[in-house]
């Protein structure tokens, strides 16, 4: 993004391993935003999905965190139930 002569950008890598109804997911992303006080360190996500009905009904667990000054920071855990109708 380019806003007021400044540039924000980012990128990510995503890997998934499907084992029957189990899906293991890992991602690494990095964003450079326009807020000076933000620590633009990479965010690492480790997740697990259980696929009840292929990809139409699933339970997702995701754990995300950053490593800042050799310590875990900004941790988040997300649990979702997803249901798709089409």
């Amino acid at each position: 993004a380019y806003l007021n002569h400044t540039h924000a950008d980012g990128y990510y890598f995503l890997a998934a391993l499907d084992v029957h109804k189990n899906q293991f997911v890992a991602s690494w992303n990095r964003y450079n935003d326009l807020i000076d006080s933000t620590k633009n360190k990479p965010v690492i996500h480790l997740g697990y999905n259980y696929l009840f009905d292929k990809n139409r009904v699933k339970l997702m667990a995701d754990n995300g965190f950053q490593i800042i000054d050799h310590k875990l920071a900004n941790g988040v855990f997300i649990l979702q139930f997803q249901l798709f109708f089409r």
Side-chain angles (χ1 to χ4, degrees):
Y2 187 71
L3 180 65
N4 295 332
H5 306 289
T6 56
H7 190 157
D9 60 6
Y11 53 90
Y12 70 94
F13 300 99
L14 174 68
L17 175 65
D18 292 334
V19 181
H20 304 290
K21 292 186 171 196
N22 302 290
Q23 188 176 60
F24 303 92
V25 183
S27 71
W28 185 91
N29 57 59
R30 170 131 187 183
Y31 300 104
N32 299 308
D33 62 25
L34 302 177
I35 303 169
D36 292 334
S37 62
T38 302
K39 301 241 185 214
N40 290 318
K41 297 291 185 184
V43 178
I44 301 161
H45 284 271
L46 302 173
Y48 170 78
N49 304 327
Y50 184 78
L51 311 175
F52 291 96
D53 182 16
K54 297 182 182 174
N55 212 22
R56 294 181 57 183
V57 180
K58 61 183 167 180
L59 181 65
M60 303 174 65
D62 179 31
N63 182 34
F65 56 90
Q66 288 180 298
I67 300 175
I68 299 174
D69 298 327
H70 306 289
K71 296 178 186 174
L72 294 179
N74 301 323
V76 62
F77 180 78
I78 300 168
L79 186 64
Q80 294 182 32
F81 179 75
Q82 293 187 347
L83 176 63
F84 297 92
F85 296 103
R86 286 194 159 229

